[in-house]
Structures are given as structure tokens and as C-alpha cells.
Amino acid sequence: MKAVHTPIRECISCGGKFPKASLLRIVKDESGIFVDASGKHNGRGAYICHNAGCLEKMMRQRRLNRAFKSPVDDDVYRAVSQILQSFEDNEDK
């Protein structure tokens, strides 16, 4: 029986490698930069794990700017922060 392939992606903050399904994807396409909940949108993608330390490092070092090679609005950083914090709140329950 053939083994199932699991795509692996790298967190832009810690550099850790994780299964794609366990990371949050941020996408840049023609319409702008946004969080891709489905993980299947067309465009350049950057991934971040659900670790609070990675979120803080991403915001402090402006890691999305580096990943997309262009300036990223603070609104995008706030949206990512809110989504990751909601994941943490759900895990605590």
C-alpha cells in the first residue's frame, strides 16, 4: 500500500517545518494580502505556526514584508494576530 504524501511548509518566524494543514497561510495576489483560511487560494503564500512566540516575532521583525518582498499594512498583521489568538483561546478550552 502506498503512503499518503503530506505537504510540509516552513514557518516564516521560527523556521520550523510542519504539515501544511497545521499552519496559518497568508496570501499575496493581485487583489492584495489576506489570510487564506482554505489554504488553496492562488498567489504567493507565507505560513506561520500557532505559537505565540512566532506571532510576536513576526510582528516585531515584520516577517511578512520580507516574505512578500513588499510593504504590508498593519491591518494584515492585526488580522493574523486576531486569528492566531482565537486559535489559542480555542485550544485552552
Side-chain angles (χ1 to χ4, degrees):
M1 185 163 182
K2 195 172 188 179
V4 177
H5 173 71
T6 304
I8 302 295
R9 299 293 182 263
E10 185 175 326
C11 174
I12 61 172
S13 288
C14 68
K17 297 189 186 320
F18 302 96
K20 180 181 173 183
S22 69
L23 300 172
L24 179 65
R25 183 171 190 242
I26 302 101
V27 177
K28 177 184 178 184
D29 67 1
E30 301 85 33
S31 64
I33 299 173
F34 56 93
V35 175
D36 178 16
S38 70
K40 297 181 181 186
H41 235 75
N42 287 334
R44 174 81 173 149
Y47 297 85
I48 184 165
C49 61
H50 297 235
N51 186 343
C54 286
L55 172 64
E56 193 248 305
K57 184 176 181 179
M58 178 196 71
M59 295 184 74
R60 188 183 57 210
Q61 295 183 355
R62 311 291 288 179
R63 291 291 182 135
L64 290 176
N65 293 13
R66 184 181 300 175
F68 296 132
K69 298 179 178 130
S70 65
V72 176
D73 276 346
D74 288 336
D75 295 337
V76 174
Y77 282 99
R78 279 193 287 273
V80 172
S81 175
Q82 289 173 350
I83 291 170
L84 287 177
Q85 287 175 353
S86 71
F87 279 132
E88 287 178 11
D89 292 343
N90 290 339
E91 287 178 358
D92 291 342
K93 292 180 181 181

